[in-house]
Amino acid sequence: MSNWKHGVPKVAFVSGGGSGIGLNLTRALLADGASVAIFDLKVEDALLNELSSLCKGNTRVERFLVDITDPKAVELAMDEAAATLGAPEFAINCAGILRTALFTEMSYEMFDQSMRVNLYGSRNFAAGVLKHMRPGGHLALIASLAGMCGSYTHGAYATSKFGVVGLAEVLRTELKPKGIDVSVVCPGEIQTPMLVEERRVGSRVTEIVNEFAGVLPVEVAVEGILDGLRKRTFMITPGFKAKLTRYLARSHTGLFRWIVDQKVAKALKEVR
């Protein structure tokens, strides 16, 4: 059994639990002995059956199909989840999208969708969870390294993730006196279906520039994320190269921007 600072949560809420990071975190939580409520647009029966097979003792996994951008629907889904499984002791928002383009080529609709899913979705998740979470609870939001440093073609994504980091900072301050801990997860690139799609349609320049922070297999990234979550670390970044990137972006901003500018210039020459 894995070592959680305050014990394995009896009930965990996970948005985006049907794929990628959220799915892998759901599997780990079930393996540790938590009951899990998954919130996602779609969770196939076969996947739900697979996850159910991981449950231990009287623990359960339940799905709640919901659009994270709909605040009322999220609130109602979480009311139902709390009535079904009990109040969440741990909750993490993994729902998110990645849309990339040069800002001058980015439509308003692309920018707006990123804000609604990544930032407003984080707001909706937190608001729904905190209605039920009690002292001793733990709320986590998935942000990104792009939430601390600008990244080429990430005008919408970085803006939304900067907002998530800011929201987490405020929630940490406001919820600590109430006995609720907050974490914000700021990983570099992780080998998930979202990254695969970004590689397919995105800029080669972005790929070259982001090599600085490295790409982690999802299993390795989730292991690092879980290590921080179990300790209730506030800001979590798995992987040495990603940690170094975060350190430089926050502590040596001039040097970091110089490195980025050099990599962008070199990458633009390579792709021409």
Side-chain angles (χ1 to χ4, degrees), residues 73-139:
V74 171
E75 181 181 3
L76 291 173
M78 290 193 171
D79 289 349
E80 184 181 354
T84 302
L85 294 177
E89 296 182 359
F90 170 71
I92 183 164
N93 180 45
C94 302
I97 60 170
L98 173 59
R99 300 287 184 268
T100 64
L102 290 171
F103 182 77
T104 52
E105 300 172 4
M106 182 182 296
S107 67
Y108 171 84
E109 289 74 20
M110 179 185 290
F111 191 92
D112 182 58
Q113 183 187 35
S114 296
M115 296 298 289
R116 287 189 295 107
V117 174
N118 296 339
L119 180 54
Y120 284 14
S122 295
R123 178 266 163 207
N124 296 340
F125 182 84
V129 163
L130 292 173
K131 181 179 175 182
H132 300 282
M133 187 170 279
R134 300 164 185 163
H138 182 195
L139 170 66

Side-chain angles (χ1 to χ4, degrees), residues 219-253:
E219 296 81 8
V220 175
V222 168
E223 183 178 346
I225 292 168
L226 278 168
D227 182 61
L229 292 173
R230 288 170 178 142
K231 295 174 182 175
R232 299 205 176 192
T233 302
F234 172 65
M235 187 168 284
I236 301 166
T237 299
F240 173 78
K241 293 177 72 175
K243 284 186 175 71
L244 175 62
T245 301
R246 189 185 86 183
Y247 170 74
L248 290 173
R250 290 174 73 88
S251 302
H252 299 278
T253 55

Side-chain angles (χ1 to χ4, degrees), residues 10-269:
K10 292 183 176 63
V11 178
F13 284 9
V14 182
S15 72
S19 64
I21 296 173
L23 176 56
N24 281 271
L25 287 172
T26 295
R27 289 184 175 124
L29 285 160
L30 292 171
D32 280 356
S35 288
V36 180
I38 298 173
F39 304 88
D40 212 326
L41 286 169
K42 181 174 68 174
V43 180
E44 300 289 354
D45 290 343
L47 177 58
L48 188 65
N49 290 336
E50 175 206 325
L51 294 173
S52 295
S53 71
L54 301 176
C55 293
K56 297 181 177 180
N58 295 323
T59 63
R60 301 159 60 187
V61 58
E62 300 285 347
R63 66 182 166 191
F64 299 88
L65 303 183
V66 66
D67 181 348
I68 199 70
T69 68
D70 185 335
K72 190 60 179 177
V74 171
E75 181 181 3
L76 291 173
M78 290 193 171
D79 289 349
E80 184 181 354
T84 302
L85 294 177
E89 296 182 359
F90 170 71
I92 183 164
N93 180 45
C94 302
I97 60 170
L98 173 59
R99 300 287 184 268
T100 64
L102 290 171
F103 182 77
T104 52
E105 300 172 4
M106 182 182 296
S107 67
Y108 171 84
E109 289 74 20
M110 179 185 290
F111 191 92
D112 182 58
Q113 183 187 35
S114 296
M115 296 298 289
R116 287 189 295 107
V117 174
N118 296 339
L119 180 54
Y120 284 14
S122 295
R123 178 266 163 207
N124 296 340
F125 182 84
V129 163
L130 292 173
K131 181 179 175 182
H132 300 282
M133 187 170 279
R134 300 164 185 163
H138 182 195
L139 170 66
L141 304 176
I142 298 284
S144 170
L145 273 182
M148 285 178 289
C149 52
S151 184
Y152 194 86
T153 68
H154 284 182
Y157 186 70
T159 302
S160 66
K161 294 299 188 178
F162 264 85
V164 174
V165 173
L167 175 62
E169 291 277 9
V170 172
L171 289 174
R172 186 203 68 79
T173 302
E174 293 182 354
L175 295 177
K176 189 175 183 63
K178 298 181 180 181
I180 295 175
D181 290 317
V182 174
S183 294
V184 60
V185 182
C186 299
E189 292 185 330
I190 300 173
Q191 195 65 44
T192 64
M194 188 168 73
L195 180 62
V196 172
E197 177 64 11
E198 199 268 345
R199 288 284 191 266
R200 186 181 70 84
V201 301
S203 167
R204 172 61 180 155
V205 175
T206 304
E207 181 178 355
I208 293 171
V209 172
N210 288 357
E211 287 173 353
F212 184 81
V215 180
L216 291 179
V218 66
E219 296 81 8
V220 175
V222 168
E223 183 178 346
I225 292 168
L226 278 168
D227 182 61
L229 292 173
R230 288 170 178 142
K231 295 174 182 175
R232 299 205 176 192
T233 302
F234 172 65
M235 187 168 284
I236 301 166
T237 299
F240 173 78
K241 293 177 72 175
K243 284 186 175 71
L244 175 62
T245 301
R246 189 185 86 183
Y247 170 74
L248 290 173
R250 290 174 73 88
S251 302
H252 299 278
T253 55
L255 172 61
F256 180 74
R257 287 171 185 149
W258 180 84
I259 292 171
V260 171
D261 290 346
Q262 298 303 307
K263 291 189 71 63
V264 169
K266 182 179 179 181
L268 285 170
K269 289 180 180 178

